Amino acid sequence: MFVILVYDFGEKRVGKALKIARKYLHWVQNSVLEGEISNANYTKLKMELRSIMNSEEDSVIFYTFRTKNYSKREEFGLKKGGDENIL
Amino acid sequence: MKKTLYIFQNGQLKRKDNSLYFETEERRKYIPIEDTSDIYIFGEVDVSKKFLEFVSQKEICIHYFNHYGYYVGTFYPREHLNAGYVVLKQAEHYLEKEKRLTLAKTFVKGSIGQMIQVLKYYRNRRDEGKDFFINIIEEIQNEAIHIENTNSIEELMAVEGHAREKYYSSFDYIIADPDFPFEKRSQRPPLNRLNAIISFGNTIVYTTVLSEIYKTYLDPRIGYLHATNFRRFSLNLDVAEIFKPIMIDRLIFTLINKKMITKKTLINIWMGFFFLKKEGKNLLLNWTNE
């Protein structure tokens, strides 16, 4: 499954959220990560984020796709991050 | 599917925030640990014990290659799947001649089957020279019939060798580029461009299979077609035989025929021996992942 994660956390927790998300997904821009993820890891990631978030103030959005086949990704300007597996 | 990470740059690989972190002079990058199945290192990469502990815990193999793209070795984490029973059975199948031969025959059959698949593909696609492919396929099939009658590994190897020779003789027909003549198979070192690409490709298959074996209970030290000895892993060589033609040979034909690999851009020569340049390795790896 391919997911796009967008989050908006309070200053105190934003760093923690980033660290958690980086274990599973590729960082794309500030507060945006994306990548291929298994069902199990998706559940784990959600659980970990829930455990640190303050549901009154913080927000998380996941966009999930079964495949990338019917979607298109356009990018311009400076490439900040993203999926790369040949360095 | 977890991804393979290839590193050509020089830098440091670290454990940071319970994930992977690669740092060079120019850049820093985080790599999701949960999305990484194994790491191939071609550049000068420093790692610490802390890092090795971490990848070991996450069951990630690290494969090292030298400057010329030759396989150096693997950081093979502690066996996480440990069944003495399987090791015993695996050894038993090596020691009992009949059982070993049966397995070895299966590998050879698989390998020859895949070679025929490749040839059939080009037979169907080429307008001219169909007869050539039809002939070669027939010859290889005739050779394959002898597999059943072999009584020793040596005989089996001979049959496989003959089939492979015929298979290789078709390379010059498939590749329509005068810059990449096949001539003959040469390894250690490769003596022409095509051989350099084949060698590098095969290395990748060997290590990929090794990574897969790590995920099973099998012991990569005990191979069946390739003799088990004191030197190296051999089970991965057996299994790789089946995947080499379809994974690597097909890819190489496509890349060369579409002029994506060319004589100048991608091959290095050192004292008369041929090696893939960094870009060449990059390109090949990129496509093996497709």
Side-chain angles (χ1 to χ4, degrees):
Chain A
M1 164 171 57
F2 183 80
V3 307
I4 301 172
L5 160 64
V6 186
Y7 64 92
D8 190 344
F9 274 44
E11 216 176 300
K12 268 198 165 161
R13 295 171 298 278
V14 67
K16 279 187 188 167
L18 175 63
K19 283 176 188 175
I20 290 171
R22 262 197 309 234
K23 284 194 281 185
Y24 300 92
L25 301 170
H26 292 269
W27 183 85
V28 183
Q29 316 186 327
N30 291 343
S31 308
V32 180
L33 294 101
E34 64 178 29
E36 235 8 272
I37 194 168
S38 67
N39 270 320
N41 276 342
Y42 181 48
T43 314
K44 261 169 85 181
L45 172 56
K46 281 192 291 190
M47 199 189 67
E48 283 192 58
L49 285 174
R50 276 214 188 90
S51 72
I52 61 141
M53 81 188 291
N54 175 345
S55 44
E56 314 267 282
E57 289 178 32
D58 304 336
S59 142
V60 172
I61 303 171
F62 276 107
Y63 299 91
T64 63
F65 305 84
R66 208 166 53 186
T67 76
K68 283 202 287 186
N69 289 352
Y70 300 100
S71 65
K72 203 178 150 213
R73 188 178 186 278
E74 261 189 292
E75 197 178 353
F76 27 82
L78 173 70
K79 186 177 163 63
K80 292 193 164 183
D83 175 6
E84 246 183 317
N85 64 341
I86 302 183
L87 292 174
Chain B
M1 262 291 276
K2 291 187 176 186
K3 294 195 191 77
T4 304
L5 175 67
Y6 303 94
I7 299 181
F8 287 94
Q9 294 170 5
N10 304 335
Q12 280 180 301
L13 250 181
K14 288 179 184 170
R15 167 186 192 163
K16 197 167 186 191
D17 305 328
N18 276 327
S19 192
L20 302 175
Y21 177 70
F22 184 63
E23 191 177 30
T24 66
E25 275 166 20
E26 301 96 50
R27 62 188 303 205
R28 53 211 19 234
K29 185 167 172 57
Y30 289 87
I31 299 121
I33 181 102
E34 300 291 346
D35 192 35
T36 306
S37 64
D38 42 9
I39 304 175
Y40 288 56
I41 294 184
F42 296 90
E44 293 301 318
V45 175
D46 297 336
V47 296
S48 64
K49 172 173 144 283
K50 195 169 66 171
F51 174 81
L52 292 177
E53 279 171 17
F54 186 50
V55 292
S56 172
Q57 184 199 342
K58 293 287 178 188
E59 290 157 11
I60 294 173
C61 293
I62 308 182
H63 306 291
Y64 286 94
F65 300 85
N66 72 8
H67 179 66
Y68 302 106
Y70 280 6
Y71 177 67
V72 174
T74 299
F75 173 70
Y76 199 73
R78 178 180 68 89
E79 285 283 353
H80 59 294
L81 297 168
N82 244 329
Y85 183 71
V86 175
V87 179
L88 278 179
K89 280 289 170 197
Q90 214 186 327
E92 177 192 315
H93 279 76
Y94 185 84
L95 292 172
E96 286 180 28
K97 200 183 139 203
E98 277 307 307
K99 287 182 176 173
R100 178 177 173 195
L101 205 56
T102 317
L103 278 170
K105 279 177 185 172
T106 319
F107 283 122
V108 173
K109 269 186 241 162
S111 161
I112 292 181
Q114 295 297 317
M115 291 180 206
I116 292 174
Q117 280 301 316
V118 171
L119 294 172
K120 277 185 178 163
Y121 176 83
Y122 284 97
R123 179 195 65 193
N124 296 341
R125 292 197 78 205
R126 291 286 161 85
D127 297 328
E128 51 210 90
K130 270 207 164 60
D131 293 341
F132 172 80
F133 286 108
I134 292 168
N135 273 336
I136 287 237
I137 292 171
E138 204 167 293
E139 280 176 40
I140 294 181
Q141 274 164 343
N142 285 338
E143 203 61 59
I145 296 171
H146 299 307
I147 295 175
E148 288 304 335
N149 307 325
T150 53
N151 287 313
S152 70
I153 297 287
E154 288 72 30
E155 279 177 57
L156 184 62
M157 291 282 248
V159 173
E160 200 254 8
H162 290 309
R164 192 166 287 272
E165 229 169 81
K166 296 203 166 93
Y167 170 65
Y168 279 144
S169 71
S170 70
F171 276 34
D172 281 331
Y173 280 83
I174 296 174
I175 297 172
D177 192 329
D179 286 341
F180 292 92
F182 177 72
E183 290 159 357
K184 69 181 207 320
R185 181 79 181 108
S186 50
Q187 298 152 281
R188 292 180 210 190
L191 295 171
N192 68 27
R193 298 186 186 94
L194 184 58
N195 273 295
I197 310 175
I198 297 175
S199 285
F200 182 71
N202 288 346
T203 308
I204 297 303
V205 185
Y206 294 145
T207 43
T208 313
V209 175
L210 181 61
S211 284
E212 293 306 315
I213 292 175
Y214 179 65
K215 295 173 193 160
T216 70
Y217 284 95
L218 296 170
D219 190 323
R221 287 168 295 196
I222 304 176
Y224 298 97
L225 179 58
H226 293 84
T228 294
N229 54 33
F230 301 102
R231 271 175 291 153
R232 57 188 288 182
F233 293 148
S234 53
L235 183 59
N236 58 336
L237 306 185
D238 287 1
V239 179
E241 289 299 330
I242 300 166
F243 295 101
K244 271 152 59 175
I246 218 97
M247 255 178 80
I248 297 304
D249 300 344
R250 270 293 315 278
L251 177 66
I252 294 172
F253 299 152
T254 310
L255 291 179
I256 294 179
N257 283 343
K258 290 191 175 165
K259 309 267 181 232
M260 293 166 81
I261 284 188
T262 58
K263 166 177 155 188
K264 274 200 185 116
T265 47
L266 298 170
I267 314 284
N268 242 342
I269 307 176
W270 179 75
M271 288 179 64
F273 307 139
F274 291 77
F275 299 97
L276 272 172
K277 279 185 193 167
K278 205 164 126 185
E279 296 79 22
K281 290 177 194 154
N282 246 316
L283 184 87
L284 207 68
L285 291 175
N286 231 328
W287 284 94
T288 40
N289 290 330
E290 287 292 309

